[in-house]
Amino acid sequence: GLFMSANLLLQYGFFFAVLFLMAWPLGLYMARIYRGDLPAFVAWLRPLENFCYRLAGVRHGDDMGWRRYAGAVLAFSLLGVLAVYALQRLQLWLPFNPQAMANTTPDLAFNTAVSFVTNTNWQAYGGETTMSYLTQMLGLAVQNFLSAATGMAVVVALMRGFQRKEAGGIGTFWIELVRSTLYVLLPLSLLLALALV
């Protein structure tokens, strides 16, 4: 009773204290990342960032207008839905399925694909009894990063829209997507994984 309530309050207090203390430095770090001003401890990743741009045909100086930016977000999200849907519908015949998990039904595959691409991650299935390893790794885990990075890119574009009253563009979706994933989400996930160990 009382001990559990005190313990719960202590945990909530610790969580909010850490969140409050980390918000300002993380915000400053993210602002630098989106400006392209990389801190020294992540600057060694710049060749990987540039390789991603070369691979995708992205130019650094490109500045998208809001319609083009929104079109890129929607096209990328649609491709994500199609990829996750296809993985689920074809998983029986794909590798990394040692349990020979059956293909999911069309409605479950669509619901799961849309859910993970929109970053709501609603699961209407038993993960280890429904999805193959490949579907979980290449579809769902990848979308855990890409859907969050897409949301972060949209927020950055919104902030740039407020900031740039006269400019014709709001940035480049592909650059924001790569920077969000490479410099924010992957390092945070590594740090949090180490903290949980």
Side-chain angles (χ1 to χ4, degrees), residues 16-191:
F16 282 113
V18 168
L19 189 64
F20 182 74
L21 289 172
M22 293 305 298
W24 186 260
L26 183 59
L28 292 174
Y29 169 75
M30 290 173 69
R32 285 185 68 181
I33 293 299
Y34 293 120
R35 282 194 311 265
D37 176 23
L38 300 180
F41 65 92
V42 292
W44 62 274
L45 289 169
R46 178 137 357 233
L48 179 58
E49 176 188 5
N50 290 332
F51 174 74
C52 292
Y53 300 147
R54 276 194 307 277
L55 195 65
V58 174
R59 293 182 311 259
H60 269 287
D62 196 14
D63 200 23
M64 297 177 160
W66 74 267
R67 286 182 181 90
R68 195 164 149 227
Y69 201 102
V73 170
L74 292 173
F76 184 72
S77 297
L78 178 62
L79 287 175
V81 168
L82 293 174
V84 175
Y85 181 84
L87 280 169
Q88 294 173 86
R89 295 293 292 144
L90 301 172
Q91 73 181 0
L92 178 63
W93 305 293
L94 294 173
F96 301 110
N97 188 3
Q99 298 91 352
M101 303 267 187
N103 298 331
T104 60
T105 60
D107 58 332
L108 179 61
F110 180 75
N111 183 27
T112 303
V114 169
S115 171
F116 273 80
V117 170
T118 59
N119 204 13
T120 51
N121 300 359
W122 186 63
Q123 296 176 316
Y125 56 88
E128 286 74 27
T129 60
T130 308
M131 303 293 176
S132 71
Y133 295 144
L134 183 69
T135 301
Q136 290 183 65
M137 290 185 302
L138 188 59
L140 307 183
V142 167
Q143 280 304 321
N144 281 330
F145 283 92
L146 295 182
S147 63
T150 300
M152 293 164 69
V154 169
V155 169
V156 169
L158 181 66
M159 289 189 296
R160 282 203 185 112
F162 288 131
Q163 182 185 24
R164 297 179 180 179
K165 292 185 170 72
E166 298 297 321
I170 54 174
T172 305
F173 170 70
W174 310 110
I175 290 175
E176 265 69 273
L177 183 76
V178 169
R179 287 182 179 166
S180 295
T181 304
L182 194 59
Y183 299 119
V184 180
L185 295 173
L186 287 173
L188 278 178
S189 68
L190 179 64
L191 288 173

